[in-house]
Amino acid sequence: MSLWHETRGIGPDLVLLHGWGLSSAIWGDFADRLTEQYRVTLIDLPGLGRSLPVGDMSLDVVVEALLAVAPERAHWLGWSLGGQLALALAQQASERVKSLSLIAANPCFVARDDWSCAMAPEVFGAFVESLADNEAKTLQRFAALQTRGSVRARDELKQLKAVIANAKPQALAPALMLLKSDLRPALATLGCPAQLILGAEDQLVPQALAAEAQHLNNNLSVEVLEQGAHLPFISHADRVLASIQRQVDATDAAG
């Protein structure tokens, strides 16, 4: 079954993938500004927003569903869970990806013995349990964590709550499990230009990821935005737009 998607604008193809519990509506004005220069494809992730769940909601099945509605070859922009999915997609179908922009995305979101710059497993486990007990309360808590420390926390929380209120997700739990994926090998072997944009105050994806990600891939461009949290494309929209434009233009100029 086809995922909900929308394409608008004129220019190089750019695909946007949102984060967990939300829909592509979270991109808001940021997506509108991108359409002034790019042909933007917005996709609601499987089981979230206006998209129905796909198959067993495994990583491979989700990636296949995303590829089915995406342009044949495009630049990809993934935020949070969307960044992990973009990494998986670049690993499985590198010919479809011209460049990769990751915003507040961790290739390994849940910490492991050899990966401390991530969410503690017990914290993630508490989220899983909370979700089973009360979906609405868990989403509100998650929204608050995403905005904490941001210079525009109030604006971000208002936008998050508006999107959550209208998202009506059908597969929150399976989509949450996708965050447990370990995409470090995908990041280490990327064959396309890639950048990582982080918020210095992010409570979900720590600033310490910057150095560790570059250890995995020394060609990765990393930018850390002061007073930014988990939604730097809202709090630092101009900076993020400029970074994406530089990468897309440089990649296309290089052929």
Side-chain angles (χ1 to χ4, degrees):
M1 187 171 292
S2 180
L3 304 180
W4 182 93
H5 60 286
E6 175 186 60
T7 299
R8 46 193 169 93
I10 299 174
D13 275 306
L14 175 64
V15 181
L16 274 58
L17 302 180
H18 62 84
W20 178 76
L22 301 166
S23 73
S24 57
I26 190 60
W27 296 109
D29 292 341
F30 187 78
D32 292 338
R33 293 178 66 182
L34 284 170
T35 60
E36 295 172 7
Q37 300 181 66
Y38 307 110
R39 184 173 181 263
V40 175
T41 297
L42 301 165
I43 304 175
D44 279 3
L45 300 183
L48 301 177
R50 291 150 287 192
S51 289
L52 295 174
V54 293
D56 61 0
M57 285 292 290
S58 64
L59 185 63
D60 288 348
V61 169
V62 167
V63 166
E64 183 179 352
L66 292 170
L67 287 169
V69 297
E72 192 60 31
R73 185 164 165 77
H75 301 276
W76 289 74
L77 168 59
W79 166 61
S80 197
L81 171 59
Q84 283 188 297
L85 295 176
L87 273 172
L89 190 146
Q91 183 181 45
Q92 296 182 31
S94 59
E95 73 284 357
R96 302 283 298 272
V97 181
K98 298 176 76 173
S99 75
L100 203 57
S101 295
L102 308 173
I103 300 179
N106 195 330
C108 188
F109 185 80
V110 181
R112 304 186 180 214
D113 291 342
D114 61 346
W115 191 255
S116 61
C117 54
M119 179 178 282
E122 58 270 22
V123 175
F124 186 81
F127 259 108
V128 174
E129 292 180 8
S130 174
L131 185 65
D133 292 337
N134 191 323
E135 287 189 356
K137 185 176 179 179
T138 303
L139 284 170
Q140 294 301 322
R141 179 185 169 207
F142 195 63
L145 274 176
Q146 292 181 65
T147 63
R148 188 176 299 166
S150 171
V151 69
R152 290 191 60 197
R154 183 175 297 181
D155 293 338
E156 292 172 1
L157 188 57
K158 181 179 180 181
Q159 189 164 332
L160 277 171
K161 286 183 175 180
V163 175
I164 288 171
N166 293 297
K168 299 178 181 177
Q170 298 185 39
L172 274 176
L176 184 62
M177 290 302 102
L178 292 170
L179 282 169
K180 295 184 70 176
S181 305
D182 186 355
L183 277 303
R184 287 177 292 173
L187 178 60
T189 57
L190 271 180
C192 65
Q195 63 179 341
L196 174 64
I197 301 172
L198 301 172
E201 305 299 326
D202 196 334
Q203 305 296 304
L204 298 171
V205 178
Q207 182 179 352
L209 172 64
E212 296 302 322
Q214 284 191 308
H215 285 157
L216 287 175
N217 186 331
N218 58 17
N219 292 319
L220 180 70
S221 170
V222 179
E223 185 174 4
V224 179
L225 301 175
E226 297 300 323
Q227 296 186 298
H230 197 59
L231 296 100
F233 61 92
I234 297 177
S235 62
H236 296 69
D238 291 345
R239 292 271 300 277
V240 176
L241 282 165
S243 295
I244 293 168
Q245 182 179 2
R246 281 194 300 271
Q247 174 163 268
V248 170
D249 291 352
T251 301
D252 286 346

